[in-house]
Amino acid sequence: MRLHRLSITAFGPFAGTVDIDFDEISSAGLFLIRGATGAGKTSILDAICFALYADVPGARPSGRSLRSDHAPRDVVPEVTVEFTASGRRFRVTRSPEFLRPKKRGDGETKSPARVVLHEQVGGTWVGKDNRHDDVAAVLREVLGMGLEQFSKVVLLPQGDFAAFLRATPEARREVLERLFDVSSYAAVEQWLASERRRTADELAGHQQALATDLARLADAVADAPVEALADLPDWRELEPHQVGEQCPRLQAVLEAHAAQALAALDAATTSATTATTRLQEAEQVIALQERARTAATRLAELDAGAPLHQQARDALAAAARAAAVGGELRALERADSTLRSAAAAAEQSAVALAPFGLDDRGLDGVAAWTDRLVGQEDGLAEAVRLERAVAERARRRDGLEAKAAAAEASAATLAGTDAGLELACTEAEHRLGEARTAAAALDGRSARLRDTEHLLRVRLDHEEGAAARVGLAEHVSLARTREQERREHLLDLREARLANMAGELAEHLSSGEPCPVCGSGEHPSPAVRTVEVTADDIAVAEAAWTAAQQQHAALERELVAADTATAARLELLGSPPPSVETLREAVTVARSEVEQTGRLAEQVSSLEEGLSAARAERASLASRVEALRAEAVGARATLDELERARTEELETLRSLLETHTRLCPCAAPTAAPGGDEGREPEAAVALAAHRRTMLAAQRHVDALRVLDAATESRQAASDAAATSLAAHGFTDPGEARAAALSADETTRLQRLCDDYVRARTEAQAVLADPAVQAAAEVEPPDVDSLRGIAVQAQGDLLQAKDAETLARRTLAAVTRLAADLVRQCEELGPLAERHALVRDLADTFAGTGGNNALRMRLSAFVLAARLEKVAELANERLAVMGDGRYRLQHSDDLAARGARSGLGLRVQDLWTGQTRDTSTLSGGEAFMASLALALGLADAVREESGGFDLQTLFVDEGFGTLDDESLEQVMGVLDGLREGGRAVGVVSHVAELRTRIPCQVTVHKTESGSTVRVSTAAGSETAA
């Protein structure tokens, strides 16, 4: 796999967008990723892992926490990686799940994770998929490894491999299992462990089933006669192989016992049947004699109640005749009720017509008057239509009047507005001229402002320089005084030194010795030393005087320079120089003129646009005034036409209403049509009154017709009722109503008659039965004695049945259990042998059996071979980096205290020939060993993954522990990794690597987030 480009946005410490062109920085084969601690070097590797696998390696956070806290809340975190793998070029863009501000309202909403995969086909990017699981499947296929392998094979984290170097065999096994596929061997371990549990469960199940069946067999024979089982052993104490020998003997004993129980049951059944038959015959005779006595008594009672039975039959017959005339009587009652209702309705409808002045003209007169009213309704409807048309024309007249007045008023208003616009155009033209003049003068006034400001600055500098010169002159004077004082002090010290030298010589004079100055041997007045002044004091004073001279000379030079600058400024300002206040006022005036001129100049375009707009508006206003005037003239003409049509419609309306008033005076309108607005329309009022009158007349006609029909129906019902009463023997309706019975009473009397007849028939039938007559002629039998004999026989039968059922059930249970017991005893032996074999194999492959001295699992044994290969590959690099001193060795030595073995690593010192633990290596040695181990492991995993070619590798940290010579050797190994066009990225902050690796990716951390700069071998440097 080769990386081409990486783009990071709002991810980790990067607030903005970072683009890294790996094709450019890896052109030399080796590049450096550097930066301060915490800047985000490792975050670049995390971004690559996240884009490829939707996660980051190790314990670093994933998911929503990957979003940069420095980025604005509305920026979407996103990582894009472009790479080539398996001969195909891909681009994957992935965003984690994060919280973003809601588009409406306050708060946040969750934005889901997303991914998009593209593939370059024929120079064009083609979208492959955007489903997470499908993209993961494609990437796993083309990359050939998961995140765990990628983070160990491509990123080479040295801290992890340093821990791997010193880890325990068990911890080392966990790491190797994640990198090498030993799932098939682990599956064998799991299958054996599962098979061990299954065979153990199966063996325990058979043993439990055998014990359960033995217990059931013991329970089954527990109720058998003791004398029959006296020679048989206790089944709970038998061994499995003894069960088959005892089962036939037990079956034979139980078969003989069952035959005896069956013979006893047959004898008891015969005795019980005979006793029961004799008892049933005696009980039947007693029952027949009791039926005869009961029937004779019941027949005597029925003969005494015969008169009451006859009365009930007569009442039922009369009620039947009354029911036959009930229909005619009910019809007569309904006709009377209908006649009363019709008379009342006719009276009410006549009262409703009284206000309309209609006399009692009878049915034909009222019907004729109603027909005339119906014929007049269409005329009133036409009057209502005309009245509405008149009202609508009045409304249109008012609207047109208002429209004409509004148009005339608007035209007058617009005419006044046009005068104002004309004045505005004149003013705009004047202002535009001023603005154009100001624009032409702006450059000159700006130049004058700059000159005046420069003079003001010079004048202010002149005042500051004058004040500074006063202070500088004082410093020069002080320096001159200080120089003179130190010169005088030096001269004083020199004189004191010369004076003191005589005293020093005098102190060394001795009587008789010549004076070193005058040569005399006598010393009458030797000099005395006063103040002690040494050569060092003289040297210090000379140095102080020299420093004072230099300071004085420097201040003199500064004073001369200040005077020169003052003369130059005075020459520029003129004599006398203007005051600061004058210059400031001049600057203020010039700045005001420039600002005013600038504002006017800026208004040129807007004033030109405004003038054009005002002229266009004047033209538009003129058109609108003409249109409004034409509209007012049209409205006035329409008003005249509407008024003429309204007058004609009012004449027609008055004619129609007068016709209606002649036919129905009581419903005439109270005012002339087309009256004041706001009142109810007169024609509509007249139409409503006409319809009410017409409805009342129609109701009265209908009521008179219903009354005539009800009178005829009542007479017919009366005639039919008289005929039916005479036919059924009744003189009047009252007699028929008195003979009628309710439904409940009729049912009760009919039930009494039926019960009487049925009871008499049943009693006579019992007394006529031959069996009853025969039983009445014999003596009653002794039932109690016969019942005692039958009960004793039934008890003996039940005991015989229980004994036979128990014997049969015991024989069946023993027969069924014996077959299962024999089969289970035959299967138990092979099961125990298979379980012992599987258990030994599973324990051996799991590393817990006694046959596995190293306590190695099968998968660990396979991993040991992989580790041995890794050590061989690592030693190829370690020999170069460590001057051939060290070799890594795979060790399968037995671990202490029963711990698992087989995955040990030791280091061999070829200089001493000693082999020692990896923890004894120094920091630099451990780094080289772990780097070699990481590279060897990467090569081994690549071979394991099918030989996927890794064109881009990263080595993360650890170089700070190396000395110069070791660093040189390690860099040589890394240079060797570039063979075949491979690119190697070194992640480190070691300063030495900056000069050795020209291609660099530098990460800078700031308060607002980290940034990246890329430096190439050509010396160019760009922001990523």
Side-chain angles (χ1 to χ4, degrees):
M1 184 196 77
R2 173 176 286 278
L3 292 176
H4 298 292
R5 191 179 65 85
L6 171 65
S7 177
I8 307 171
T9 301
F11 182 89
F14 304 107
T17 299
V18 173
D19 285 311
I20 300 177
D21 188 350
F22 282 103
D23 289 337
E24 181 182 7
I25 64 174
S26 61
S27 58
L30 189 65
F31 59 92
L32 174 66
I33 301 177
R34 66 183 184 90
T37 301
K41 301 185 297 296
T42 307
S43 296
I44 296 176
L45 309 183
D46 289 345
I48 297 173
C49 294
F50 176 75
L52 297 178
Y53 297 100
D55 202 354
V56 294
R60 291 185 288 275
S62 62
R64 192 178 69 186
S65 60
L66 291 175
R67 188 182 187 279
S68 177
D69 295 332
H70 300 285
R73 296 178 61 195
D74 56 345
V75 175
V76 178
E78 186 177 80
V79 179
T80 300
V81 170
E82 187 177 327
F83 66 94
T84 297
S86 302
R88 303 163 64 186
R89 186 158 180 162
F90 293 92
R91 183 178 67 201
V92 57
T93 302
R94 193 184 300 272
S95 294
E97 179 183 282
F98 68 98
L99 292 178
R100 61 171 177 80
K102 293 182 177 179
K103 295 183 178 179
R104 293 185 178 91
D106 300 331
E108 296 179 327
T109 184
K110 183 182 292 184
S111 183
R114 64 179 181 86
V115 64
V116 179
L117 180 65
H118 292 82
E119 183 178 1
Q120 193 176 65
V121 179
T124 303
W125 288 107
V126 179
K128 294 288 290 183
D129 212 323
N130 58 2
R131 290 174 53 88
H132 291 275
D133 49 355
D134 295 340
V135 171
V138 173
L139 294 179
R140 181 60 185 259
E141 178 184 356
V142 299
L143 293 176
M145 63 186 74
L147 175 61
E148 186 72 28
Q149 292 175 314
F150 185 86
S151 62
K152 295 295 189 297
V153 173
V154 178
L155 303 186
L156 302 183
Q158 293 308 297
D160 290 353
F161 284 99
F164 180 81
L165 186 66
R166 298 182 174 90
T168 62
E170 185 65 20
R172 197 173 285 123
R173 179 188 63 80
E174 295 176 359
V175 175
L176 292 173
E177 281 183 347
R178 292 195 296 267
L179 297 177
F180 295 101
D181 185 12
V182 292
S183 57
S184 58
Y185 305 100
V188 172
E189 296 179 16
Q190 295 175 359
W191 182 85
L192 285 174
S194 176
E195 189 68 9
R196 176 179 57 191
R197 290 191 297 271
R198 189 191 67 78
T199 56
D201 294 342
E202 186 178 5
L203 178 61
H206 275 71
Q207 292 174 342
Q208 181 64 30
L210 179 60
T212 301
D213 288 345
L214 287 174
R216 290 176 179 173
L217 183 63
D219 292 339
V221 301
D223 296 330
V226 178
E227 61 275 8
L229 304 176
D231 297 336
L232 296 176
D234 187 355
W235 294 96
R236 296 182 179 85
E237 297 179 356
L238 294 178
E239 295 294 334
H241 66 276
Q242 297 174 333
V243 175
E245 300 174 359
Q246 297 297 330
C247 283
R249 293 181 56 196
L250 178 61
Q251 287 178 294
V253 171
L254 292 178
E255 287 174 356
H257 176 64
Q260 295 175 0
L262 182 60
L265 175 61
D266 292 339
T269 300
T270 302
S271 299
T273 302
T274 303
T276 300
T277 301
R278 294 178 61 189
L279 176 61
Q280 291 175 348
E281 292 174 352
E283 290 177 344
Q284 186 177 7
V285 171
I286 294 298
L288 291 173
Q289 291 176 350
E290 182 63 25
R291 288 184 64 196
R293 289 192 296 271
T294 302
T297 301
R298 180 58 178 162
L299 189 61
E301 294 175 351
L302 293 173
D303 290 340
L308 294 176
H309 172 65
Q310 188 59 41
Q311 293 178 0
R313 289 171 59 89
D314 295 341
L316 288 173
R321 289 186 291 110
V325 300
E328 287 78 2
L329 294 178
R330 287 191 293 274
L332 180 60
E333 291 176 354
R334 288 194 298 271
D336 289 339
S337 177
T338 302
L339 181 60
R340 288 193 297 271
S341 298
E347 183 177 359
Q348 289 179 357
S349 61
V351 172
L353 278 176
F356 302 102
L358 181 65
D359 298 334
D360 188 5
R361 305 178 183 178
L363 177 59
D364 295 337
V366 175
W369 185 65
T370 302
D371 292 340
R372 288 196 300 274
L373 288 175
V374 171
Q376 186 63 26
E377 184 179 7
D378 293 339
L380 285 176
E382 176 64 20
V384 171
R385 186 191 67 76
L386 288 173
E387 188 174 50
R388 290 176 179 170
V390 168
E392 178 61 26
R393 292 185 188 278
R395 285 192 294 273
R396 288 185 61 193
R397 180 194 63 190
D398 296 340
L400 287 171
E401 184 69 34
K403 182 177 181 183
E408 292 169 353
S410 298
T413 302
L414 291 177
T417 304
D418 181 66
L421 284 175
E422 184 178 4
L423 179 60
C425 287
T426 302
E427 293 179 355
E429 291 174 353
H430 177 68
R431 294 177 59 192
L432 178 60
E434 292 180 349
R436 288 172 175 170
T437 303
L442 180 60
D443 293 338
R445 293 183 179 180
S446 298
R448 285 197 299 273
L449 174 60
R450 289 193 295 272
D451 294 341
T452 307
E453 289 176 341
H454 178 64
L455 288 177
L456 177 58
R457 288 193 297 271
V458 171
R459 185 67 180 87
L460 292 175
D461 292 342
H462 176 67
E463 289 189 354
E464 293 177 359
R469 187 189 182 289
V470 172
L472 185 59
E474 294 178 356
H475 288 308
V476 170
S477 177
L478 291 175
R480 186 183 301 111
T481 304
R482 189 179 302 110
E483 178 191 0
Q484 294 175 355
E485 291 175 351
R486 292 182 177 178
R487 178 174 177 279
E488 292 175 357
H489 177 63
L490 175 61
L491 295 176
D492 293 340
L493 288 179
R494 286 176 176 173
E495 290 179 0
R497 174 64 174 165
L498 293 174
N500 202 34
M501 290 177 61
E504 292 178 3
L505 292 174
E507 289 178 354
H508 297 288
L509 292 176
S510 300
S511 181
E513 292 182 1
C515 175
V517 178
C518 64
S520 174
E522 296 180 357
H523 315 293
S525 298
V528 179
R529 184 164 55 178
T530 57
V531 180
E532 184 176 358
V533 177
T534 64
D536 293 337
D537 295 335
I538 299 297
V540 170
E542 288 178 348
W545 179 47
T546 302
Q549 283 181 317
Q550 294 174 352
Q551 184 179 12
H552 180 213
L555 290 174
E556 287 285 356
R557 287 192 297 270
E558 291 180 7
L559 183 60
V560 172
D563 291 339
T564 303
T566 299
R569 285 193 292 267
L570 287 174
E571 183 179 357
L572 180 62
L573 292 172
S575 181
S579 64
V580 174
E581 290 74 10
T582 303
L583 290 174
R584 283 177 176 168
E585 291 177 359
V587 168
T588 303
V589 172
R591 183 176 291 114
S592 176
E593 291 177 352
V594 169
E595 292 175 354
Q596 183 177 2
T597 304
R599 286 194 297 270
L600 288 174
E602 292 174 355
Q603 295 175 2
V604 170
S605 59
S606 62
L607 287 173
E608 289 175 346
E609 294 175 358
L611 180 59
S612 299
R615 289 172 177 170
E617 187 175 0
R618 284 197 66 195
S620 175
L621 280 176
S623 300
R624 290 173 60 190
V625 167
E626 292 298 327
L628 286 172
R629 289 173 178 168
E631 183 179 355
V633 172
R636 293 296 181 187
T638 306
L639 277 173
D640 296 338
E641 294 177 2
L642 286 175
E643 189 61 29
R644 287 193 299 271
R646 182 172 178 272
T647 302
E648 294 174 358
E649 291 172 346
L650 282 174
E651 291 298 329
T652 304
L653 178 60
R654 290 191 185 95
S655 176
L656 290 173
L657 290 178
E658 288 174 359
T659 301
H660 167 67
T661 303
R662 288 193 298 271
L663 178 64
C664 187
C666 63
T670 59
D676 298 335
E677 296 182 2
R679 296 181 56 187
E680 188 175 1
E682 299 301 334
V685 172
L687 178 61
H690 177 81
R691 287 176 176 172
R692 289 194 298 271
T693 304
M694 185 174 60
L695 180 61
Q698 289 176 345
R699 287 177 179 173
H700 188 55
V701 169
D702 294 340
L704 290 176
R705 288 172 179 169
V706 170
L707 179 60
D708 290 346
T711 302
E712 294 176 358
S713 297
R714 201 275 176 194
Q715 185 61 41
S718 178
D719 295 343
T723 302
S724 181
L725 286 172
H728 289 87
F730 293 108
T731 57
D732 55 29
E735 184 180 359
R737 292 187 181 97
L741 294 176
S742 64
D744 293 341
E745 183 66 16
T746 301
T747 302
R748 186 183 69 79
L749 291 177
Q750 186 64 46
R751 188 182 298 114
L752 288 175
C753 293
D754 294 343
D755 291 346
Y756 179 84
V757 173
R758 184 174 57 255
R760 188 175 184 83
T761 302
E762 290 176 354
Q764 290 173 350
V766 170
L767 292 177
D769 188 359
V772 174
Q773 294 175 356
E777 296 175 356
V778 300
E779 293 293 331
D782 187 2
V783 177
D784 294 337
S785 176
L786 293 173
R787 183 177 290 112
I789 295 172
V791 169
Q792 180 64 36
Q794 288 293 331
D796 294 341
L797 177 61
L798 290 176
Q799 291 180 357
K801 283 184 177 180
D802 292 342
E804 192 275 336
T805 300
L806 179 60
R808 179 166 40 82
R809 185 185 302 116
T810 301
L811 177 60
V814 168
T815 302
R816 183 178 65 256
L817 290 173
D820 291 341
L821 287 170
V822 171
R823 177 181 55 79
Q824 290 176 5
C825 291
E826 292 174 353
E827 294 176 353
L828 191 62
L831 282 177
E833 294 176 359
R834 175 174 175 78
H835 171 65
L837 177 61
V838 171
R839 181 189 59 202
D840 292 342
L841 283 174
D843 292 345
T844 300
F845 280 24
T848 58
N851 297 328
N852 193 333
L854 295 179
R855 297 178 56 80
M856 290 181 65
R857 294 181 179 178
L858 176 62
S859 57
F861 179 77
V862 176
L863 290 176
R866 302 290 191 276
L867 182 59
E868 188 172 0
K869 179 65 175 179
V870 169
E872 293 177 1
L873 295 173
N875 286 329
E876 296 176 3
R877 270 84 179 215
L878 187 58
V880 178
M881 290 186 288
D883 289 334
R885 178 177 179 180
Y886 295 111
R887 282 182 56 82
L888 294 175
Q889 287 185 345
H890 163 243
S891 172
D892 57 359
D893 294 342
L894 186 64
R897 294 185 293 276
R900 296 186 184 274
S901 308
L903 292 177
L905 269 180
R906 297 182 64 81
V907 60
Q908 182 183 14
D909 190 342
L910 299 179
W911 290 2
T912 62
Q914 298 296 318
T915 301
R916 49 194 172 94
D917 193 81
T918 55
S919 60
T920 60
L921 294 173
S922 65
E925 294 170 342
F927 168 73
M928 290 188 290
S930 60
L931 177 58
L933 188 63
L935 296 173
L937 191 59
D939 293 339
V941 171
R942 185 171 68 253
E943 294 177 3
E944 182 77 12
S945 301
F948 283 94
D949 191 13
L950 302 178
Q951 293 295 313
T952 305
L953 294 177
F954 294 91
V955 181
D956 191 358
E957 289 296 348
F959 294 91
T961 59
L962 301 177
D963 55 24
D964 294 341
E965 184 178 357
S966 299
L967 180 61
E968 184 69 29
Q969 295 167 348
V970 170
M971 291 301 296
V973 172
L974 294 179
D975 286 337
L977 294 177
R978 296 185 293 176
E979 296 176 357
R982 182 182 297 171
V984 180
V986 177
V987 182
S988 178
H989 50 70
V990 176
E992 178 66 20
L993 296 177
R994 301 178 191 175
T995 58
R996 301 178 61 91
I997 304 177
C999 294
Q1000 299 178 8
V1001 177
T1002 306
V1003 185
H1004 300 280
K1005 62 179 179 179
T1006 65
E1007 294 181 357
S1008 58
S1010 296
T1011 59
V1012 175
R1013 297 193 67 83
V1014 176
S1015 303
T1016 62
S1020 63
E1021 183 173 345
T1022 59

